Each structure stands twice: as structure tokens, then as C-alpha cells.
Amino acid sequence: ASRSCQLHLFNQALSTTSLPSDAERPPKLDAIVGPTGAFNLFLGHATRYVGTRSLLIGDAAHSVHPLAGQGVNLGIADAGEAAQAIGSAMEVGRDPGDPALLLRIQQTRMFDNVQRLTALHALNDLFGSDREPLASLRSLALRGINKMPLLKRAFIRFADGH
């Protein structure tokens, strides 16, 4: 799209977005300066997280559709696991770059990340489709989950990274 079209669409979206009653609406844009770009959304996962005295975590290890902030939750879980395991090892005098230590962190995080990435990809596909009968089945399933407190709590815990 042309810059003038992009500018018009942005300003239109800005003016029609609902805001809290006490929020001040940002000013409209007058111009787009510099190049614009876009990033394709994709699911990606490293085949290994460990290199020589190095460990991939967060977006360096995996990427996921921006679905409810779950990518950042995975990254925080990676960092937490790495900090805990490396910190504990260092307290007893172990080398923080020990391959066995890093491989253990990889094994723990890779198992959880693959499960969550697979589920998030499936949810993205499920909610990204308006085709019938999928849309009706999705609505029915969500209403059912909402009526089952234990199952609903399990979904919330999963989304929260537990």
C-alpha cells in the first residue's frame, strides 16, 4: 500500500479505537518517515539450545504466534530455569558453562517449550478459522469449559505458564 494509504488507515484506526473515558486520544500522524516493514508470523524452534559454554533461551530458542503474550511467558520460564540451575551449580563450585548442566536445562525447557508451542500453534489455528463446523464446535467447547471450574482453572494455569 502507498504511504498515503498507510497513513490514512493508521489514522482511521486511531480515531475509531475505543479508549477509556479518562484517556487522551493520541494525535494523528502527519507523515510516515523512513521505510515501513512487516514481520511474518511463524512458529519456530531450535533443534538444540546448547552450544560451547552457551545456552539459547527465549526468542533465541523459539518463536510463536503473538498469542496472549505466551512467547514472553516461555522466555521468562527459560530464564528462570537457567538462573536457578546455574545459580545452584555455582553455589557448590560448579562451572556455569558445564555441558552436563546446560544439557539438563535444555532437556527441561525443551520438553515444556515443545508442548506449549504445539498447543499454541493449535489454538492459533483453531481461533484463526471462521469455517463451519469448526467455529460452532469451538464456541460449544468454550462454553463447556467455562461451566467446568476445574477444567477452566487448568486452562488458566496453562496460559499462565504453569
Side-chain angles (χ1 to χ4, degrees):
S2 71
R3 286 185 182 263
S4 62
C5 181
Q6 290 174 334
L7 191 62
H8 172 73
L9 291 172
F10 180 84
N11 284 329
Q12 183 180 13
L14 191 63
S15 67
T16 58
T17 300
S18 60
L19 298 173
S21 60
D22 60 342
E24 185 177 328
R25 191 165 298 280
K28 290 186 175 185
L29 293 182
D30 295 326
I32 296 175
V33 179
T36 61
F39 296 94
N40 290 329
L41 302 177
F42 67 96
L43 176 70
H45 188 259
T47 56
R48 60 188 174 92
Y49 297 176
V50 174
T52 304
R53 300 187 61 77
S54 62
L55 176 69
L56 297 178
I57 62 171
D59 288 351
H62 43 74
S63 62
V64 67
H65 316 287
L67 189 65
Q70 293 305 302
V72 75
N73 287 350
L74 290 173
I76 290 168
D78 289 349
E81 175 70 25
Q84 189 280 323
I86 292 170
S88 294
M90 290 177 69
E91 283 178 1
V92 296
R94 285 185 61 198
D95 176 8
D98 176 22
L101 170 65
L102 299 179
L103 286 169
R104 192 188 79 209
I105 298 167
Q106 171 183 278
Q107 182 180 11
T108 301
R109 292 307 309 146
M110 193 175 278
F111 178 78
D112 185 52
N113 288 338
V114 167
Q115 285 183 318
R116 291 184 182 282
L117 290 168
T118 302
L120 291 169
H121 185 64
L123 285 172
N124 187 67
D125 287 348
L126 175 66
F127 285 95
S129 174
D130 291 331
R131 290 179 292 156
E132 290 297 340
L134 186 60
S136 295
L137 291 170
R138 177 182 62 223
S139 295
L140 181 64
L142 287 174
R143 281 195 301 274
I145 291 168
N146 200 40
K147 292 179 182 180
M148 296 183 234
L150 289 175
L151 189 56
K152 184 177 179 179
R153 253 192 309 278
F155 273 89
I156 292 169
R157 285 185 53 77
F158 175 82
D160 198 28
H162 293 92

